[in-house]
Amino acid sequence: DEIASRFLLGLYESAVEVDSRNIPALVSLADLYTKSGLYKKGLEVDRRLVEARPEEPTFHYNLACSHSLLGELDAAFEALARAIQLGYDAFDHMESDPDLENLRRDARWRQLLRRATEKKVSG
């Protein structure tokens, strides 16, 4: 499995070298970096995705996950709030996503979720 992961990382890195705006390759690369524990590299790719598609809520969500994994809670909450503002509403997934474990231990988590669900109900 490690050999396959290294192969795929090389493949996606090469695809991004050829075309730095290859969104599907960037998405796959960010996911593989995170799954491989290369959180800083994943964060950099997530930043590139948000820059390329600033209105895509999933990219902001993934950016929040990367910040959370690195213990950067302020930046993680900011990215997550932006994802929700853009329409991300998979709250059940947020509650169980291991990447957000750091955020769920913070008092701001309940506040963010409460505001988000209130917005969804009233919106």
Side-chain angles (χ1 to χ4, degrees):
D1 193 38
E2 185 180 331
I3 293 171
S5 291
R6 274 194 259 146
F7 171 77
L8 288 173
L9 278 172
L11 182 70
Y12 292 123
E13 287 170 339
S14 295
V16 169
E17 280 179 31
V18 170
D19 178 6
S20 64
R21 296 187 61 82
N22 182 333
I23 300 298
L26 286 166
V27 168
S28 296
L29 189 57
D31 185 54
L32 278 170
Y33 279 148
T34 299
K35 287 180 179 172
S36 300
L38 302 169
Y39 302 140
K40 286 186 181 183
K41 285 187 173 193
L43 174 66
E44 290 308 314
V45 176
D46 286 333
R47 284 183 173 145
R48 289 172 65 182
L49 285 164
V50 164
E51 188 177 303
R53 299 267 171 86
E55 300 305 313
E56 174 54 52
T58 303
F59 293 166
H60 288 272
Y61 178 84
N62 290 339
L63 180 63
C65 290
S66 288
H67 281 299
S68 175
L69 288 165
L70 289 165
E72 300 168 355
L73 300 189
D74 292 342
F77 275 111
E78 185 178 315
L80 188 56
R82 181 69 178 138
I84 292 167
Q85 180 183 26
L86 291 169
Y88 190 89
D89 64 357
F91 301 121
D92 288 343
H93 177 70
M94 286 172 42
E95 288 279 13
S96 63
D97 190 337
D99 294 352
L100 298 180
E101 184 63 35
N102 287 329
L103 299 188
R104 287 193 293 273
R105 290 190 214 123
D106 190 292
R108 293 173 286 182
W109 175 260
R110 287 283 154 226
Q111 296 170 344
L112 179 71
L113 226 49
R114 186 173 46 252
R115 284 194 312 268
T117 53
E118 287 170 0
K119 178 185 167 198
K120 186 176 179 182
V121 169
S122 68

